[in-house]
Amino acid sequence: MRILICEDSVLLREGLVRLLDDAGHDVVAALPDASELVATVADSAPDLCVLDVRLPPTFTDEGVRAAVELRRLHPALAVLVLSQYVEERYASELISAQGGALGYLLKDRVADVAEFLESLDRIAQGATVLDPEVVAQLLSRRTRDERMTRLTERERATLALLAEGRSNQAIAGTLFVSEASVEKYITAIFQKLGLEPDESGNRRVLAALAHIENTGGTPQTGGSR
């Protein structure tokens, strides 16, 4: 897989380069900021872009603005955001934006190298992979919404796992229920949120989370079928 890295921390950036090289991936570029990101993506044509939310010079939203722009310019490009914190407003922007597969993981919670590499593969293959903490905060902020209050506790758990990119089989194993029950929970979730089911798991997850995040409230800075 051809991967582009955009990370201001030299230790993390070089560590990712070494890790990905050792795993057999081709790191086409490793940038310290987003100033040349769009141009470098156009020149190097990566399959996946890994970037931080906060980048020089202001360390506020350079990374996420670049990610949104990349998803607009290159709809097939997979993007993995690695952030130090749960940036709820930024997660909402990314999830709502049109584009390719998306991942949002928290740096401090990436504790297993094999699991991290597996997440990269899943994102490159089209899955949506969100850290459970990101999902939890997005969901908890919208409990005031009547549509969210319609969900049962089990349906909320199912939605969180689904947004992490878990298969129906994996969700069933985690919740200790049958796959048929998971299918019923998923159907109920989208009915209660007023979302039409379709055959694309990624679109359904993105639509659900975008709907949840954009139903009102003041943004605060800081989780497929």
Side-chain angles (χ1 to χ4, degrees), residues 7-207:
E7 166 61 54
D8 65 289
S9 168
V10 64
L11 291 179
L12 180 55
R13 185 171 67 249
E14 294 305 316
L16 284 171
V17 170
R18 177 65 178 273
L19 173 65
L20 295 174
D21 279 343
D22 289 347
H25 297 297
D26 179 16
V27 179
V28 298
L31 308 176
D33 59 57
S35 59
E36 300 295 327
L37 179 60
V38 172
T40 304
V41 167
D43 291 340
S44 59
D47 304 305
L48 173 70
C49 182
V50 180
L51 73 165
D52 195 356
V53 168
R54 298 181 177 184
L55 292 168
T58 68
F59 295 96
T60 54
D61 62 354
E62 284 88 352
V64 74
R65 285 191 286 106
V68 171
E69 180 70 359
L70 286 178
R71 284 165 62 75
R72 184 184 69 81
L73 294 173
H74 305 279
L77 177 65
V79 173
L80 169 59
V81 174
L82 284 176
S83 180
Q84 193 71 32
Y85 309 101
V86 179
E87 307 280 4
E88 294 179 14
R89 174 163 55 98
Y90 299 149
S92 172
E93 267 190 85
L94 285 168
I95 291 166
S96 302
Q98 297 297 316
L102 174 70
Y104 193 117
L105 301 177
L106 300 181
K107 294 177 181 178
D108 290 345
R109 288 167 54 88
V110 177
D112 184 271
V113 170
E115 195 172 293
F116 174 71
L117 292 174
E118 181 188 0
S119 294
L120 287 180
D121 289 337
R122 288 162 58 202
I123 295 165
Q125 292 166 9
T128 300
V129 180
L130 305 177
D131 188 282
E133 184 62 25
V134 176
V135 176
Q137 292 206 28
L138 291 180
L139 293 179
S140 65
R141 278 185 57 206
R142 295 296 174 245
T143 54
R144 299 178 310 227
D145 192 310
E146 180 189 354
R147 284 161 290 194
M148 285 303 298
T149 61
R150 295 172 185 168
L151 299 185
T152 66
E153 183 177 348
R154 184 52 58 89
E155 289 163 357
R156 285 173 180 271
T158 299
L159 178 57
L161 291 168
L162 185 138
E164 290 177 39
R166 306 286 186 92
S167 66
N168 285 8
Q169 183 180 13
I171 294 173
T174 300
L175 299 180
F176 301 102
V177 298
S178 68
E179 288 190 55
S181 294
V182 172
E183 288 282 354
K184 291 179 181 178
Y185 298 147
I186 291 173
T187 299
I189 287 166
F190 286 97
Q191 286 178 342
K192 292 178 179 180
L193 294 180
L195 299 167
E196 285 294 326
D198 59 46
E199 296 304 317
S200 170
N202 291 330
R203 286 199 298 268
R204 288 171 64 180
V205 172
L206 295 176

